[in-house]
Amino acid sequence: MNTRSLSFRLVTWYAGLLTIVFVLLGALTIIFLRHYLEANLLDIQARRAQQIADTLLTAASRTGDAVVAGEIEDLYSPEVNDRFIRITRADGHVVYASGKPKDAGFDPSRVPPPSLTRDKGFQRKESLPSGSLLIAARTYGDTRETRYIVEVGVSTARTEATLSQVLIMLAVGLPIAVCVAVAGGFILVRRALKPVDRLSHKAEEITQHNLSERLPVMRSGDELERLSLSLNLMISRLEDAIQSSKQFVADASHELRTPLAVLRGELESLAQEAQLKSQTRETLGSMLEEVDRLAEIVEGLLALSRLDTGEAQAEWVRFDLAELAATTADQISLLAEDKNITLVCEASTNVPVEGDRARLKQVVVNLLDNAIKYTPNGGRIRMKITREGDYALLDVSDDGIGIPPEALSHVFKRFYRVDGSRSREQGGAGLGLSIVKSICAAHGAQVEVASVPGKGSSFRIRQPLARESAALGPS
Ligand code: ADP
């Protein structure tokens, strides 16, 4: 799981906040519940104290303390009912005090004597070592009569038991509630962010070759709709910018062609004049070479811009790649012979492909031309055309100088040359392989390179075979 993803961070925040809210709510519930239960208990005890005062103490002056004590035992049985009852006279004499309760929830002998106040009643919570006691007291009598303080109490053990049950419920229930909420939140966040995933996948697919495609727009009226619309506008602007730069290269190279041809013609006619000094003739020769190089670059650029705009595929026919490669190798073998290089072509089987013959021939020419350029005298070049599954494979390998590993990923870039000066001596401008790549892309083919410096290089074109139904074009 990606811990830096938006969904993970959102859900973590959500879970944290939810836990804090639930814990606070739980704590408040316990505090309020305790308060409510204790207030209720005290209320009941106060009413009972009042009842004792009203019914028993009114007659106490007549009946005597012993009768009052007996009646309390009979009517309320405090020990059996786990209650505390104590009647104290204003002079501190204890008229009646209940004994140990049945459940031993508190020790009545340790309950401190009541404060002899003039108030009608009071309440208190007594924390004894054996347990806490909630006591409500009522006073009875006035200055003329004997004053009594009636205390009725009950242990907090039951309230505590109820509270601990609620606490257990909360301790079990809250984590479950948080887990369920987090799982729900996770599903919701994932669903909400799914369109973002789709957007980014589509955006990754869009390259300079398919800039006319657009991102899917969710008509949801939210931020994602705005984002997809803005990204689409940005792609449109990029498309326009790339299109105009391609157009510029196409126009510029087209416009340069004619003046270069005129320049070449004039230089040639100048060079033919008889009375020229030998140094002037040499200068004219090197000028002609440079004009040729320039013309080659212009032709390369024009070819690339035509491929970019899709104008290049003048024809689309089915033909035998093996036959095309063999014929091309035959035509180019003179160049190899000049350098005493052995050029072997293994192309026996029929390998039908579809496309523009002239462009694919250019691929073979560029690869063989490079192999010859970058293989020293006496070297060996091997070209092989085979079928592999649904693909035609064209391999060109040499035992030349090779390409350093760090340059391998760049050789198909425009104007890239491994060693500028060396390549320039060979007459290369760094456009040959980018033309190969563009032609391959236009034919749905891929080009790969492998090389070991000092040992040689090998280029492989992998092109889909022609479908059976496609017509065989002229060879
Ligand atoms: P260039 O016209 O300069 O040859 P390319 O685009 O055809 O340009 O090739 C780019 C670079 O790749 C060349 O400068 C060269 O250094 C290297 N390269 C291409 N083919 C080979 C090969 N068969 N052997 C060694 N290096 C090669």
Side-chain angles (χ1 to χ4, degrees), residues 243 247 250 302-315 356 359:
Q243 191 52 42
Q247 197 55 49
L302 198 61
L304 276 171
S305 53
R306 281 184 176 160
L307 281 163
D308 284 344
T309 50
E311 284 172 39
Q313 285 81 259
E315 58 167 9
D356 187 320
R359 297 286 148 225

Side-chain angles (χ1 to χ4, degrees), residues 48-180:
R48 194 154 290 147
Q50 191 64 53
Q51 202 180 15
I52 292 172
D54 291 346
T55 54
L56 303 179
L57 294 180
T58 332
S61 50
R62 276 185 285 110
T63 55
D65 292 350
V67 175
V68 171
E71 283 193 27
I72 289 175
E73 285 288 342
D74 288 348
L75 289 170
Y76 298 102
S77 320
E79 290 87 4
V80 180
N81 294 318
D82 304 324
R83 287 230 171 72
F84 169 76
I85 297 180
R86 186 167 64 185
I87 300 173
T88 317
R89 261 209 309 260
D91 57 10
H93 172 73
V94 177
V95 176
Y96 171 79
S98 58
K100 275 201 168 195
K102 198 172 78 247
D103 69 350
F106 57 89
D107 181 1
S109 63
R110 306 192 71 158
V111 180
S115 59
L116 304 170
T117 97
R118 299 234 140 252
D119 298 340
K120 248 187 99 34
F122 57 85
Q123 296 174 340
R124 69 182 204 272
K125 186 172 180 181
E126 222 36 89
S127 300
L128 306 173
S130 46
S132 292
L133 205 58
L134 289 171
I135 300 174
R138 282 283 174 274
T139 53
Y140 172 78
D142 52 33
T143 39
R144 278 180 291 113
E145 284 178 84
T146 320
R147 279 189 77 241
Y148 294 94
I149 298 158
V150 183
E151 291 169 287
V152 180
V154 70
S155 156
T156 54
R158 279 203 204 140
T159 323
E160 292 302 333
T162 313
L163 286 174
S164 20
Q165 271 176 2
V166 174
L167 203 67
I168 290 172
M169 238 172 63
L170 289 176
V172 175
L174 290 194
I176 293 176
V178 170
C179 287
V180 171

Side-chain angles (χ1 to χ4, degrees), residues 193-460:
L193 292 181
K194 213 165 195 125
V196 179
D197 257 6
R198 256 184 284 139
L199 266 186
S200 59
H201 277 131
K202 185 67 196 169
E204 278 161 20
E205 279 167 26
I206 295 183
T207 63
Q208 55 159 323
H209 303 296
N210 58 346
L211 263 182
S212 55
E213 286 184 28
R214 291 291 174 271
L215 303 176
V217 177
M218 290 127 274
R219 297 283 169 203
S220 47
D222 58 11
E223 290 86 348
L224 286 181
E225 181 180 339
R226 253 187 66 200
L227 179 71
S228 45
L229 286 172
S230 317
L231 285 174
N232 277 343
L233 280 176
M234 191 183 82
I235 297 170
S236 300
R237 288 197 294 274
L238 268 177
E239 191 185 9
D240 287 350
I242 289 183
Q243 191 52 42
S244 50
S245 91
K246 278 180 186 168
Q247 197 55 49
F248 172 78
V249 175
D251 292 347
S253 38
H254 191 262
E255 290 304 315
L256 282 171
R257 261 175 142 192
T258 322
L260 274 176
V262 173
L263 196 62
R264 188 175 209 293
E266 285 177 357
L267 282 174
E268 269 175 349
S269 57
L270 251 180
Q272 273 158 15
E273 281 187 15
Q275 67 275 36
L276 283 179
K277 278 198 250 161
S278 68
Q279 202 191 347
T280 318
R281 196 176 297 282
E282 247 176 57
T283 314
L284 276 175
S286 87
M287 281 170 79
L288 265 170
E289 263 177 36
E290 289 303 316
V291 167
D292 279 347
R293 263 178 51 76
L294 208 56
E296 203 182 304
I297 293 173
V298 165
E299 285 307 320
L301 279 176
L302 198 61
L304 276 171
S305 53
R306 281 184 176 160
L307 281 163
D308 284 344
T309 50
E311 284 172 39
Q313 285 81 259
E315 58 167 9
W316 194 265
V317 290
R318 177 186 156 116
F319 60 91
D320 182 6
L321 182 67
E323 184 264 337
L324 176 89
T327 324
T328 313
D330 213 30
Q331 289 162 354
I332 223 163
S333 60
L334 276 179
L335 276 179
E337 273 167 30
D338 280 350
K339 284 181 81 179
N340 208 11
I341 290 173
T342 321
L343 173 56
V344 187
C345 176
E346 295 168 22
S348 50
T349 51
N350 174 31
V351 186
V353 291
E354 274 178 70
D356 187 320
R357 273 181 65 93
R359 297 286 148 225
L360 285 169
K361 182 180 171 109
Q362 174 133 37
V363 167
V364 181
V365 169
N366 286 9
L367 291 180
L368 286 179
D369 187 48
N370 275 349
I372 295 169
K373 269 197 295 191
Y374 301 111
T375 300
N377 287 5
R380 187 182 154 87
I381 298 170
R382 190 164 153 241
M383 184 163 73
K384 204 169 149 197
I385 299 94
T386 45
R387 296 166 74 138
E388 189 188 81
D390 292 339
Y391 289 91
L393 300 183
L394 185 144
D395 292 289
V396 176
S397 40
D398 60 61
D399 56 4
I401 57 172
I403 304 168
E406 66 277 8
L408 278 179
S409 57
H410 302 293
V411 290
F412 295 103
K413 290 183 185 161
R414 291 174 190 189
F415 292 110
Y416 180 83
R417 292 172 300 184
V418 174
D419 176 347
S421 54
R422 183 191 74 190
S423 192
R424 195 182 146 85
E425 267 170 38
Q426 311 273 15
L431 288 176
L433 287 180
S434 41
I435 292 176
V436 167
K437 188 161 184 191
S438 290
I439 296 174
C440 286
H443 285 81
Q446 280 145 17
V447 52
E448 296 156 16
V449 56
S451 180
V452 179
K455 289 248 158 73
S457 315
S458 106
F459 288 82
R460 163 169 284 191

